[in-house]
Amino acid sequence: MTIVSDSIAVGDVVAGSAVGVRAMLWQLRPSEVRDVAVSASAEILRLEAIRVAAIDELALNPDEQVLCYRGVGRWLAANTMLQNSAGNKIAALGAALRGFPDIAAQFEAGDLSLDHAGLIAAFCESPPKGMPDSALMPSLKTLLAAASGVEATTVKVRYAIAVLERIFESDEPPPGEDNDLNVLRIAPTLNGRVAIKGDFDALTGEMLLSALSGLSMPKPAADGTPDARSAAKRTADAFTELIRRYLDNAVTGVDGGQRPHVNVHITAKDLAEHRECATMRAEGDDAPDLDDESVFADLDVGYMPWMGPLSVSKTRMLACDCMLSTVLMDGNGAPLDVTPLERLVSKEQRIALIARDKGCAFPNCDAVPAWCDAHHIKPWSTGGLTVMDNLVLLCRSHHTLMHSTSGFRGIWEITMGDDHKPWFIPPAAIDPKQRRRRSTTRHGPVHRD
């Protein structure tokens, strides 16, 4: 049977909905499918340029909805399917392109990818220390040429940057020895693990490798069986051991008012008795209703301030050798009050706040407890007591906004619900119905009024 594809145009496929697109592509010739792929890629470049420009415009002229977030990149992530890192990357590129119209022009023309635009902008913002000002524009033209067209690759662009750095090398430390360039990115992944990516100078790298060397050596089993771990696994185990030894023995300072270590929160009941997983319970009357959002608030898991949920089995293992702090809770999981007549929260109150809010309580904020302040809902200066029903954890950004006099004070209202947990009521400009809400970042779905 011969399929006639004349009735389906490549442009219609690219401009149309993705629903049912595979059935349409099946009717096209391979050459037409290739045209669809190329056209779709060009359309993605065009839309990315529009998105970067729109996000930068919001960064320059934010409204109340954007001001509710710690940066326009986080607003974008919260309102799309992007992650915070991707939203922040788009916002950073938009800001960088303001000073380099040549990069912006090529990017907006669809002849420069978002990643390559970011690389070139970063080079121009921090050129080699030996480069004279007069050499910046010729260098920029060289990089734009290297990044132009379908033959451009990241390797090609990075090579061009490396050559320019070598040409303009000065008496200043070379890139390999410049610790001002050191970066370390640590980000939780979607599956509850953590990804680490770093770039260090040679001396720091030498210290790190020396510290890991003895800890990452292959260790035969007691019966002489060779170590079956890969080199990468041995290095990861060594890094874990290095952190553990540091936290156990070093003078670590304070982190959000406390000395940093591993903190895991779990109810005493769940710690003492590991109930069956909700999905394994018997069917019938005892089976959980997974459509009822409240069932997710009672799962027997631990919770870590930085990384989130931790299985109860791992929590119980950690509990075998730990310092145990007790926080008294009511039936809704809200901590009971202590020392209400002091202005500053005590160590015990901060522990209780972390157990309740698990980080910044502002809707859609993912700031961890170490980055948060304890905020009095009713100010201490006007008679607000230092009690749990008048306290909430807020990151420095949202804490500042709640105290700001530049049109933000009084717009959002914080109330304490019947569950003794903080709820936020937005202004009518954001939600005409002013439905109360709280963070779903760590607590899962919540009902709104």
Side-chain angles (χ1 to χ4, degrees):
M1 181 175 66
T2 302
I3 301 297
V4 179
S5 61
D6 293 341
S7 60
I8 301 177
V10 170
D12 293 338
V13 176
V14 175
S17 169
V19 177
V21 70
R22 290 179 178 272
M24 298 174 66
L25 292 173
W26 180 76
Q27 301 179 59
L28 297 177
R29 293 185 291 270
S31 61
E32 293 171 321
V33 176
R34 285 191 278 107
D35 289 341
V36 168
V38 172
S39 298
S41 299
E43 185 69 3
I44 290 171
L45 289 177
R46 184 182 72 84
L47 293 174
E48 278 189 333
I50 293 174
R51 181 168 61 181
V52 168
I55 291 303
D56 193 45
E57 179 63 27
L58 282 175
L60 294 171
N61 300 290
D63 61 6
E64 294 294 348
Q65 292 202 30
V66 175
L67 286 173
C68 294
Y69 295 83
R70 292 187 293 128
V72 67
R74 289 177 177 269
W75 170 85
L76 177 64
N79 289 274
T80 64
M81 298 179 70
L82 294 175
Q83 298 300 302
N84 282 333
S85 58
N88 291 337
K89 180 178 179 180
I90 291 169
L93 178 59
L97 293 182
R98 297 174 203 164
F100 302 103
D102 289 349
I103 304 177
Q106 187 162 317
F107 176 57
E108 291 165 3
D111 197 31
L112 185 65
S113 72
L114 184 144
D115 289 337
H116 292 169
L119 278 174
I120 297 173
F123 173 87
C124 293
E125 288 183 317
S126 301
K129 296 179 179 179
M131 175 184 285
D133 293 341
S134 59
L136 181 58
M137 287 308 297
S139 298
L140 174 57
K141 291 181 179 179
T142 298
L143 293 177
L144 289 175
S148 176
V150 296
E151 295 183 355
T153 64
T154 300
V155 172
K156 184 178 178 181
V157 176
R158 288 190 180 277
Y159 181 80
I161 290 174
V163 170
L164 290 172
E165 289 176 339
R166 177 63 177 172
I167 291 173
F168 295 107
E169 191 173 324
S170 67
D171 292 334
E172 297 292 327
E177 301 173 12
D178 188 354
N179 57 19
D180 288 341
L181 303 177
N182 289 1
V183 293
L184 180 65
R185 297 181 177 89
I186 304 176
T189 63
L190 293 177
N191 63 354
R193 297 180 63 81
V194 63
I196 302 176
K197 183 177 181 180
D199 184 5
F200 297 97
D201 63 280
L203 180 58
T204 303
E206 181 67 18
M207 291 189 293
L208 178 60
L209 292 174
S210 296
L212 293 174
S213 177
L215 298 174
S216 60
M217 294 289 289
K219 296 179 180 179
D223 61 358
T225 305
D227 194 333
R229 297 175 299 166
S230 66
K233 180 63 169 64
R234 294 199 312 270
T235 302
D237 291 344
F239 192 65
T240 301
E241 180 62 22
L242 193 66
I243 296 171
R244 181 182 293 111
R245 293 186 183 187
Y246 169 76
L247 291 175
D248 283 343
N249 301 298
V251 179
T252 56
V254 296
D255 185 357
Q258 300 175 14
R259 292 172 67 89
H261 214 294
V262 175
N263 294 287
V264 182
H265 301 104
I266 191 170
T267 66
K269 177 182 178 182
D270 291 338
L271 182 61
E273 179 182 359
H274 184 188
R275 294 170 294 156
E276 291 184 84
C277 175
T279 57
M280 297 297 291
R281 295 172 184 163
E283 296 182 359
D285 295 338
D286 293 332
D289 180 7
L290 297 183
D291 291 329
D292 180 4
E293 294 171 347
S294 65
V295 71
F296 292 98
D298 192 38
L299 292 181
D300 47 354
V301 297
Y303 190 91
M304 298 180 292
W306 286 95
M307 290 297 297
L310 184 71
S311 69
V312 71
S313 58
K314 178 65 74 173
T315 303
R316 295 176 75 197
M317 186 199 76
L318 293 174
C320 292
D321 182 19
C322 73
M323 291 184 294
L324 187 64
S325 297
T326 302
V327 179
L328 297 179
M329 303 281 199
D330 64 14
N332 295 312
L336 301 179
D337 292 320
V338 289
T339 61
L341 300 180
E342 298 290 336
R343 182 178 73 85
L344 299 178
V345 300
S346 66
K347 176 182 177 182
E348 292 76 15
Q349 282 180 311
R350 185 171 179 87
I351 292 174
L353 280 171
I354 293 173
R356 185 192 71 189
D357 296 344
K358 298 181 173 63
C360 181
F362 199 92
N364 297 307
C365 185
D366 61 356
V368 295
W371 299 348
C372 294
D373 303 325
H375 169 69
H376 286 76
I377 298 173
K378 180 181 180 181
W380 170 267
S381 60
T382 60
L385 296 178
T386 307
V387 296
M388 296 308 298
D389 275 0
N390 193 45
L391 294 173
V392 60
L393 281 184
L394 293 176
C395 68
R396 186 57 54 86
S397 176
H398 286 128
H399 198 183
T400 300
L401 286 174
M402 296 306 294
H403 284 283
S404 173
T405 58
S406 58
F408 199 88
R409 176 180 287 175
I411 293 178
W412 279 84
E413 180 183 355
I414 307 177
T415 63
M416 203 54 72
D418 295 337
D419 55 0
H420 298 284
K421 296 179 181 178
W423 290 79
F424 294 75
I425 301 175
I430 292 179
D431 182 359
K433 296 183 179 180
Q434 293 190 286
R435 292 166 293 187
R436 66 174 190 163
R437 60 187 70 179
R438 64 184 175 94
S439 177
T440 59
T441 305
R442 305 168 188 83
H443 300 281
V446 294
H447 292 292
R448 296 180 181 175
D449 294 339

